[in-house]
Amino acid sequence: MRRSVLAVGCALVLALAGCRRVPETPGATLGPSPYLRELALPYVGPTPHDWRRLSGRVVMVAFFATWCFPCVAELPTLEALQKEYGPQGFQVVLVGLDLDGAKTLAPFAEQYALNFPVLVSDERIQQGRSAFGLIPALPATFLLDKEGQVAGAWQGVASHEDTSRAVEKLLRR
C-alpha cells in the first residue's frame, strides 16, 4: 500500500512538473517587456528596425493601415515627433495591419520614406493575441515608457501638442 501511494505521489509530481505554461512569444521568459518583444517583426521601407534597440527608450507604437485616411493624415505629426524627440531617446514605430502585409506596406513605406520603421504585423497581432490585445479601431497608439510598459494609449488622431506633452513627461522620468 505504501509503495502504491509513493508511486502515485511521484507520478503526480512528474505530471505537474510537465504542466508549466509555455510562453506564446519566443524568448518570453525574462528580459525585455512583452510589448517590446511584440515588435520583433519584419520591417519594410528605408528605415531599419531592431526591436532590441528599443529598450531604455520611450516608444510610440502606432497601429495603422494604408487604407485608413486618419492614419495617413497622422504621419506628418509622427514624423515631427520623431525628428524633435528622437535624439532624446524617443522612437516611433509604425505597425501596419494591412491584411496583405508587405505586398502593400513595402511600396507605401518606400513612397513616404518615413523617418521611423514600418513593421509588418503578423497573424497574432491581427487577431488580437499579442500583448497589445485587440486593436478594434485605427489609428490606435500605445506610448511605452523607458521600461517598455504602457504609459498611455488612445484611438484616433491625437493633437501634436497633447502627444508632445505625454512624450516629454516620459522622457523626463
Side-chain angles (χ1 to χ4, degrees), residues 112-126:
Y112 281 87
L114 301 168
N115 62 353
F116 47 80
V118 178
L119 309 184
V120 180
S121 66
D122 60 14
E123 189 175 309
R124 285 179 338 88
I125 289 175
Q126 292 174 2

Side-chain angles (χ1 to χ4, degrees), residues 7 14 26 42 51 54 60 69 82 109 145 156 167:
L14 291 173
W51 70 275
L54 297 175
M60 178 176 288
F69 178 75
Q82 181 62 49
D145 64 17
V167 169

Side-chain angles (χ1 to χ4, degrees), residues 66-149:
T66 58
W67 49 262
C68 169
F69 178 75
C71 301
V72 176
E74 185 178 49
L75 293 177
T77 298
L78 298 178
E79 284 192 293
L81 291 167
Q82 181 62 49
K83 183 177 180 182
E84 184 175 354
Y85 298 111
Q88 300 172 46
F90 173 72
Q91 181 63 57
V92 172
V93 177
L94 204 60
V95 180
L97 294 175
D98 290 80
L99 294 178
D100 54 353
K103 181 179 178 182
T104 297
L105 290 169
F108 177 89
E110 290 296 331
Q111 178 182 353
Y112 281 87
L114 301 168
N115 62 353
F116 47 80
V118 178
L119 309 184
V120 180
S121 66
D122 60 14
E123 189 175 309
R124 285 179 338 88
I125 289 175
Q126 292 174 2
Q127 293 177 355
R129 295 184 293 131
S130 77
F132 293 101
L134 184 63
I135 308 297
L138 295 175
T141 306
F142 292 80
L143 191 57
L144 308 180
D145 64 17
K146 293 177 183 177
E147 288 76 42
Q149 299 305 310

Side-chain angles (χ1 to χ4, degrees), residues 143-162:
L143 191 57
L144 308 180
D145 64 17
K146 293 177 183 177
E147 288 76 42
Q149 299 305 310
V150 175
W154 58 91
Q155 290 181 344
V157 178
S159 74
H160 182 84
E161 295 77 25
D162 290 341

